[in-house]
Amino acid sequence: MTPEGLSAGGNVSTVRHFVLLGFADLPELQGFLSGVFSIIYLVVLIGNSLIITVTILDPALQRPMYFFLANFSSLEICYVSVTLPRILFDLWTQKRNISVLGCATQLCFFLMLATTECFLLAVMSYDRYVAICLPLGYPLLMNSKKCAQLAAASWLGPLPVQIGQTCQIFSLHFCKSNQIAHFFCDIPPILKLACGDTSAHEVSVYVVAMLFLAVPFMTILASYSKIISTILRLPTAQGRAKAF
């Protein structure tokens, strides 16, 4: 006998779909968790939608800082929409099955949006660096065309790498089980289900993660270090307070 979702092929079994265990071990809290996650999702949608609407409609906010803030709010809506609706569906229906294609799609979007978040935070720190440390050059360095290019690079830059990484992970043969010990499709629990040695795949995942985390982090650290240094050198307390 093979577990549900596994089909026998020779001496091994291959996964036809996955089962997201999530909060299956907390049956008495299903209703409470459903209510909590529903409220969280609504707050995220409404709050970030208001930010986007205000930055678009208010002429006083037609500046790079608020342009990137609107992008970040859009990202947050997309980010939570990758995982929370699926969690709510599982809580409401108790049907935890997800197809291999659906799992791969969720993982790919999760990875792309996580990377976009890192890039956008780095771009926003660079925007503040230019505004405070290079105020005379700010209109030239952060014009509307440059802002659009930086935003597009943040959104589109991760696409090829994360699509390739997702394809690499799902090219593995899964035969150990079809039960993902998580509430959405993520790399570590998926790799645990793969047959054979996955060390090479794990190394590639860590390398990509370090690159996509380290570069934005260093940019953020350098930008705010320079910003703080510049602010502390301002001659008046009023000027320092305004800059902060």
Side-chain angles (χ1 to χ4, degrees), residues 9-222:
N11 294 323
V12 299
S13 299
T14 55
V15 171
R16 293 180 299 178
H17 63 259
F18 294 107
V19 178
L20 293 167
L21 296 181
F23 303 102
D25 57 341
L26 299 171
E28 69 282 359
L29 294 178
Q30 302 295 300
F32 172 75
L33 291 172
S34 176
V36 169
F37 286 126
S38 296
I39 293 171
I40 291 173
Y41 192 41
L42 285 174
V43 169
V44 170
L45 291 180
I46 295 172
N48 285 287
S49 296
L50 286 174
I51 291 174
I52 295 169
T53 303
V54 170
T55 55
I56 292 174
L57 297 180
D58 191 342
L61 302 182
Q62 305 300 310
R63 290 185 285 170
M65 181 174 70
Y66 299 104
F67 170 76
F68 292 124
L69 182 60
N71 268 268
F72 197 78
S73 294
S74 301
L75 172 68
E76 289 301 301
I77 291 174
C78 295
Y79 203 16
V80 297
S81 296
V82 170
T83 54
L84 269 180
R86 177 70 213 194
I87 294 172
L88 290 171
F89 175 80
D90 291 342
L91 289 171
W92 291 338
T93 66
Q94 297 301 304
K95 296 178 180 178
R96 305 180 184 280
N97 291 353
I98 184 170
S99 67
V100 173
L101 178 60
C103 189
T105 302
Q106 186 185 57
L107 176 64
C108 188
F109 276 100
F110 177 77
L111 294 176
M112 288 189 298
L113 293 171
T115 308
T116 297
E117 183 172 25
C118 295
F119 286 176
L120 272 178
L121 287 171
V123 168
M124 292 168 77
S125 70
Y126 173 74
D127 169 65
R128 293 298 85 205
Y129 160 74
V130 176
I132 293 174
C133 301
L134 304 170
L136 296 179
Y138 186 72
L140 180 63
L141 293 173
M142 298 301 293
N143 56 55
S144 57
K145 181 180 179 180
K146 178 70 71 173
C147 291
Q149 290 173 341
L150 289 170
S154 298
W155 283 94
L156 301 178
L159 283 177
V161 176
Q162 300 298 12
I163 289 175
Q165 189 173 60
T166 303
C167 291
Q168 180 189 39
I169 291 170
F170 280 88
S171 67
L172 293 169
H173 189 67
F174 301 100
C175 61
K176 294 179 180 178
S177 171
N178 69 329
Q179 297 184 338
I180 298 176
H182 206 9
F183 44 85
F184 69 95
C185 293
D186 199 5
I187 294 177
I190 291 174
L191 286 179
K192 289 180 180 179
L193 306 182
C195 306
D197 183 17
T198 60
S199 57
H201 291 81
E202 291 173 7
V203 169
S204 69
V205 167
Y206 286 127
V207 168
V208 171
M210 287 303 298
L211 286 174
F212 282 160
L213 286 173
V215 173
F217 176 74
M218 294 305 295
T219 301
I220 293 169
L221 186 63

